[in-house]
Amino acid sequence: MSYQANEKGYYGDFGGAFIPEMLYPNVEELRSQYLDIMKEESFQKEFKDLLRDYVGRPTPLYYAERFSKKYGTKIYLKREDLCHTGAHKVNNTVGQILMAKRLGKDRIIAETGAGQHGVATATVCALMGIECIVYMGEVDIERQAPNVARMKMLGAKIVPAKSGSRTLKDATNEAIRDWINNPIDTHYIIGSVVGPHPYPDMVARFQAVISEEIKVQLKEKENRENPDYVVACVGGGSNAAGIYFHYLDNPEVGIIAVEAAGKGIQSGESAATSALGKEGIIHGSKTLLMQTEDGQITEPYSISAGLDYPGVGPMHANLFRSGRGEFISITDKAAMDAGQELAKLEGIIPAIETSHALAIFEDRKFKEDDVVVINLSGRGDKDLSTYIDYFDL
Amino acid sequence: MNRINKKLQEEQKMLSIYFTAGYPEPEDTVSIIQDLEKNGVDFIEIGLPFSDPLADGPTIQESSTKALKSGMTTNKLFEQLKGIRDSVEIPLVIMGYFNPILQYGVEKFCKKCAETGIDGLIIPDLPVDVYNEEYKSIFEENGLQNIFLITPQTSEERIRFIDSVSNGFIYMVSTASVTGSTSGFSEETRDYFKRISAMKLENPQIVGFGISDEETFNQATEFAKGAIIGSAFIKHLNANGKDNIADFVKNIRPV
Ligand SMILES: Cc1ncc(COP(=O)(O)O)c(C=O)c1O
């Protein structure tokens, strides 16, 4: 059995395309062409050239010596924080903007929570000279002012999502509604491995460059392609999908997914979907999601806006249910402490999302010669004000 | 024969009204249904409120959010509708998103609908192929019709397929839009109405989305069997409360 999507877009029981008929032509247009387009030589060349010259890939695979010593195992950091715009998100937006061009679209829409995906989308739209509209929850617009300013400077139009809880899930709803209203000229750049098929698979393939590079880099450093473990934080799950991708069907490589426990799993303020979620439908995908008994989608909580999503991509729901993935949840406090620790031990200030992945070593012990690769999905600049408030810096 | 099919055999153009269950007040569901029937409405679509209604514009979203806030649930809806067939004869269709139905249990939901006297379901985010493979038999066992949507972008081949799996009517979405977002129909939209009418489908079509007054009702039903009004009715409730339903209906279809 494979842990990749099958041709109908299912990962085990999860995935599919639960979309209203109004969206069917849009999604079907993409579904019927995405694999062929991605296979085209000219597409691959343009994608790889941009990743190298514009994004700055390959990102280093860095052996974190002092951090490793502290936890008695071999820890490598895959430095996605060094990508242009400061996170892995841009791998996907570069891929999707090229896809949009091939599909003849001249208007881009996107959703954003913390603003990282919005910035990454606005960036590639500026690069290509394509109109860009970003939906963002009213609440998030207030919380993430610097990223709002960045998007504006890049020429994007920000539309506040005023419905429901006015955060990421509502921004996603608004983007989907926009797509329903504009079925011909618009491409929707989703920011994670969520949404209806083919999005989870397409976004995973664009992020797969992360594990593709690790294989080569680890060979150089450790004379082996396969680490013992790959570790990533999971919001929707795109940086995780990227670092797992080429290892999914290799049982020698352990898969660790780190979710945000917020103030504690039982606190009522958490975003640990695997622990708290049940099977259901969100944004066109059957997956695990946080909801009431009555099937109303609930609002998650995490100190990190990028992990604040009530669902999880269908790939990860399947990794959880099948037992292929080990799921760990990390509280706000543990994450913040781990971010502080990495800064002091390695001189790297991580995004708070990433800090969750770094925090597992307090409780999860590894063997001394285990090779553990963590996806350092983003840098902490965007989170400085949260770090300042939290540590009274 | 299902009430839907029977109703559709009648001469007149069908006027169907959508409202959100539990709105404006949680206990208004039944009285609104009774009032709509009393004023000559042919069909009613009862909206099962959902936190994330993807296909709906702001008016219906807000009514859902409010209904949920004031405690509406699936169980509560079925409690309210218990005995509805003692007082109401016209077809009743529940329109809801798939997740709440999935959580309730699709089979249990369908049984409950049958017990209550519900005639059909409209579930916009349950795709035709998934319905066919997994749920069709459950719907049929419970005498429920599943109503599918088509849009101006739906291909002819797919329309024929949808027609072949439908057994009540086809919900014809007027324009590429969410609910409540248009004002008046363009030439292009009327061409689409004509095009679909010329396909001579097995199932009658009822037009929805963007119908708000007598003029749009008449345009929509020039070629189709009927039309559904949603957002405009919710707006009417917002502005006038629920005591003035007669005026609203008269304004759409003067007697
Ligand atoms: C740095 C960083 N890591 C992780 C995430 C979470 O997204 P995903 O789970 O899709 O990787 C985000 C989202 O904004 C992010 O900015």
Side-chain angles (χ1 to χ4, degrees), chain B residues 118-141:
Chain B
I118 297 296
D119 305 294
L121 295 175
I122 302 174
I123 310 172
D125 57 344
L126 173 60
V128 194
D129 50 337
V130 178
Y131 168 76
N132 261 355
E133 276 168 39
E134 295 182 41
Y135 302 112
K136 190 166 191 255
S137 58
I138 301 175
F139 277 57
E140 285 174 357
E141 277 159 30

Short mmCIF file of all heavy atoms in Angstrom, two decimals, chain B residues 118-141:
data_model
loop_
_atom_site.label_atom_id
_atom_site.label_comp_id
_atom_site.label_asym_id
_atom_site.label_seq_id
_atom_site.Cartn_x
_atom_site.Cartn_y
_atom_site.Cartn_z
N ILE B 118 -39.96 14.37 5.20
CA ILE B 118 -39.13 15.14 4.26
C ILE B 118 -39.08 14.38 2.94
O ILE B 118 -38.99 13.15 2.92
CB ILE B 118 -37.70 15.31 4.83
CG1 ILE B 118 -37.71 16.10 6.13
CG2 ILE B 118 -36.76 15.93 3.80
CD1 ILE B 118 -38.18 17.53 6.01
N ASP B 119 -39.13 15.12 1.83
CA ASP B 119 -39.22 14.46 0.53
C ASP B 119 -37.91 14.37 -0.23
O ASP B 119 -37.74 13.51 -1.08
CB ASP B 119 -40.24 15.21 -0.34
CG ASP B 119 -41.56 15.33 0.36
OD1 ASP B 119 -42.20 14.29 0.57
OD2 ASP B 119 -41.93 16.47 0.75
N GLY B 120 -37.01 15.28 0.05
CA GLY B 120 -35.76 15.26 -0.70
C GLY B 120 -34.68 16.03 0.02
O GLY B 120 -34.92 16.71 1.02
N LEU B 121 -33.47 15.89 -0.51
CA LEU B 121 -32.32 16.58 0.07
C LEU B 121 -31.54 17.28 -1.02
O LEU B 121 -31.44 16.78 -2.14
CB LEU B 121 -31.39 15.58 0.76
CG LEU B 121 -31.95 14.83 1.98
CD1 LEU B 121 -30.94 13.79 2.45
CD2 LEU B 121 -32.25 15.82 3.11
N ILE B 122 -31.02 18.45 -0.67
CA ILE B 122 -30.05 19.12 -1.54
C ILE B 122 -28.79 19.27 -0.71
O ILE B 122 -28.78 19.94 0.32
CB ILE B 122 -30.54 20.51 -1.98
CG1 ILE B 122 -31.89 20.39 -2.70
CG2 ILE B 122 -29.51 21.19 -2.88
CD1 ILE B 122 -32.51 21.73 -3.05
N ILE B 123 -27.72 18.60 -1.14
CA ILE B 123 -26.46 18.64 -0.40
C ILE B 123 -25.38 19.12 -1.38
O ILE B 123 -24.81 18.32 -2.11
CB ILE B 123 -26.10 17.25 0.16
CG1 ILE B 123 -27.30 16.66 0.91
CG2 ILE B 123 -24.87 17.32 1.07
CD1 ILE B 123 -27.12 15.22 1.32
N PRO B 124 -25.14 20.43 -1.43
CA PRO B 124 -24.30 20.97 -2.50
C PRO B 124 -22.90 20.36 -2.55
O PRO B 124 -22.34 20.22 -3.64
CB PRO B 124 -24.21 22.47 -2.18
CG PRO B 124 -25.19 22.75 -1.12
CD PRO B 124 -25.64 21.47 -0.52
N ASP B 125 -22.34 20.00 -1.41
CA ASP B 125 -20.96 19.50 -1.45
C ASP B 125 -20.86 17.97 -1.38
O ASP B 125 -19.80 17.44 -1.05
CB ASP B 125 -20.09 20.16 -0.37
CG ASP B 125 -20.65 19.96 1.03
OD1 ASP B 125 -21.83 19.57 1.17
OD2 ASP B 125 -19.89 20.18 2.00
N LEU B 126 -21.95 17.30 -1.71
CA LEU B 126 -21.87 15.84 -1.90
C LEU B 126 -21.86 15.58 -3.41
O LEU B 126 -22.89 15.71 -4.07
CB LEU B 126 -23.06 15.13 -1.24
CG LEU B 126 -23.17 13.62 -1.50
CD1 LEU B 126 -21.94 12.87 -0.99
CD2 LEU B 126 -24.44 13.05 -0.87
N PRO B 127 -20.71 15.23 -3.97
CA PRO B 127 -20.63 15.09 -5.42
C PRO B 127 -21.44 13.89 -5.94
O PRO B 127 -21.64 12.92 -5.22
CB PRO B 127 -19.13 14.85 -5.69
CG PRO B 127 -18.44 15.00 -4.39
CD PRO B 127 -19.44 14.96 -3.30
N VAL B 128 -21.90 14.02 -7.18
CA VAL B 128 -22.75 12.99 -7.78
C VAL B 128 -22.11 11.62 -7.73
O VAL B 128 -22.78 10.63 -7.41
CB VAL B 128 -23.02 13.31 -9.27
CG1 VAL B 128 -24.16 12.47 -9.78
CG2 VAL B 128 -23.32 14.77 -9.47
N ASP B 129 -20.81 11.53 -8.05
CA ASP B 129 -20.19 10.19 -8.11
C ASP B 129 -20.11 9.54 -6.73
O ASP B 129 -20.35 8.34 -6.60
CB ASP B 129 -18.82 10.25 -8.80
CG ASP B 129 -17.92 11.33 -8.23
OD1 ASP B 129 -18.45 12.29 -7.64
OD2 ASP B 129 -16.70 11.21 -8.36
N VAL B 130 -19.81 10.33 -5.71
CA VAL B 130 -19.76 9.77 -4.36
C VAL B 130 -21.16 9.32 -3.93
O VAL B 130 -21.34 8.25 -3.36
CB VAL B 130 -19.19 10.79 -3.34
CG1 VAL B 130 -19.19 10.22 -1.93
CG2 VAL B 130 -17.78 11.22 -3.74
N TYR B 131 -22.15 10.15 -4.26
CA TYR B 131 -23.53 9.79 -3.94
C TYR B 131 -23.89 8.46 -4.60
O TYR B 131 -24.42 7.55 -3.95
CB TYR B 131 -24.49 10.89 -4.42
CG TYR B 131 -25.94 10.46 -4.41
CD1 TYR B 131 -26.64 10.38 -3.21
CD2 TYR B 131 -26.59 10.11 -5.59
CE1 TYR B 131 -27.97 9.97 -3.19
CE2 TYR B 131 -27.92 9.70 -5.59
CZ TYR B 131 -28.60 9.63 -4.38
OH TYR B 131 -29.90 9.21 -4.37
N ASN B 132 -23.58 8.35 -5.87
CA ASN B 132 -23.93 7.14 -6.60
C ASN B 132 -23.29 5.90 -6.02
O ASN B 132 -23.92 4.86 -5.88
CB ASN B 132 -23.46 7.27 -8.06
CG ASN B 132 -24.59 7.69 -8.96
OD1 ASN B 132 -25.73 7.79 -8.51
ND2 ASN B 132 -24.28 7.92 -10.21
N GLU B 133 -22.01 6.02 -5.67
CA GLU B 133 -21.29 4.85 -5.17
C GLU B 133 -21.66 4.49 -3.74
O GLU B 133 -21.73 3.32 -3.39
CB GLU B 133 -19.77 5.10 -5.24
CG GLU B 133 -19.19 4.81 -6.61
CD GLU B 133 -17.77 5.35 -6.74
OE1 GLU B 133 -17.02 5.24 -5.75
OE2 GLU B 133 -17.44 5.87 -7.82
N GLU B 134 -21.85 5.51 -2.90
CA GLU B 134 -21.95 5.19 -1.48
C GLU B 134 -23.32 5.38 -0.84
O GLU B 134 -23.61 4.72 0.15
CB GLU B 134 -20.92 6.03 -0.69
CG GLU B 134 -19.48 5.68 -1.06
CD GLU B 134 -18.48 6.47 -0.25
OE1 GLU B 134 -18.71 6.65 0.97
OE2 GLU B 134 -17.48 6.93 -0.84
N TYR B 135 -24.13 6.29 -1.38
CA TYR B 135 -25.31 6.65 -0.60
C TYR B 135 -26.65 6.47 -1.30
O TYR B 135 -27.69 6.57 -0.68
CB TYR B 135 -25.18 8.10 -0.11
CG TYR B 135 -23.94 8.32 0.73
CD1 TYR B 135 -22.89 9.11 0.27
CD2 TYR B 135 -23.82 7.72 1.97
CE1 TYR B 135 -21.75 9.30 1.04
CE2 TYR B 135 -22.69 7.89 2.76
CZ TYR B 135 -21.65 8.69 2.28
OH TYR B 135 -20.54 8.86 3.04
N LYS B 136 -26.61 6.21 -2.59
CA LYS B 136 -27.84 6.18 -3.37
C LYS B 136 -28.87 5.22 -2.77
O LYS B 136 -30.04 5.57 -2.59
CB LYS B 136 -27.50 5.75 -4.81
CG LYS B 136 -28.61 5.90 -5.79
CD LYS B 136 -28.06 5.78 -7.22
CE LYS B 136 -29.09 6.19 -8.22
NZ LYS B 136 -29.70 5.07 -8.94
N SER B 137 -28.41 4.01 -2.42
CA SER B 137 -29.36 3.02 -1.95
C SER B 137 -30.01 3.46 -0.63
O SER B 137 -31.19 3.21 -0.41
CB SER B 137 -28.68 1.66 -1.79
OG SER B 137 -27.60 1.77 -0.91
N ILE B 138 -29.24 4.12 0.21
CA ILE B 138 -29.81 4.59 1.49
C ILE B 138 -30.92 5.62 1.23
O ILE B 138 -31.98 5.59 1.84
CB ILE B 138 -28.72 5.23 2.38
CG1 ILE B 138 -27.62 4.23 2.67
CG2 ILE B 138 -29.32 5.76 3.67
CD1 ILE B 138 -26.44 4.81 3.45
N PHE B 139 -30.65 6.53 0.30
CA PHE B 139 -31.66 7.54 -0.04
C PHE B 139 -32.92 6.87 -0.57
O PHE B 139 -34.03 7.21 -0.18
CB PHE B 139 -31.12 8.52 -1.10
CG PHE B 139 -30.26 9.64 -0.55
CD1 PHE B 139 -29.13 9.37 0.20
CD2 PHE B 139 -30.61 10.96 -0.78
CE1 PHE B 139 -28.34 10.40 0.70
CE2 PHE B 139 -29.83 12.00 -0.30
CZ PHE B 139 -28.69 11.72 0.44
N GLU B 140 -32.71 5.92 -1.47
CA GLU B 140 -33.85 5.28 -2.11
C GLU B 140 -34.68 4.48 -1.12
O GLU B 140 -35.92 4.53 -1.15
CB GLU B 140 -33.38 4.43 -3.29
CG GLU B 140 -33.01 5.31 -4.47
CD GLU B 140 -32.40 4.56 -5.65
OE1 GLU B 140 -32.20 3.32 -5.55
OE2 GLU B 140 -32.11 5.22 -6.66
N GLU B 141 -33.99 3.76 -0.24
CA GLU B 141 -34.72 2.99 0.78
C GLU B 141 -35.62 3.88 1.62
O GLU B 141 -36.64 3.43 2.14
CB GLU B 141 -33.74 2.29 1.73
CG GLU B 141 -33.19 0.97 1.19
CD GLU B 141 -31.89 0.60 1.89
OE1 GLU B 141 -31.71 0.96 3.08
OE2 GLU B 141 -31.04 -0.04 1.23
#
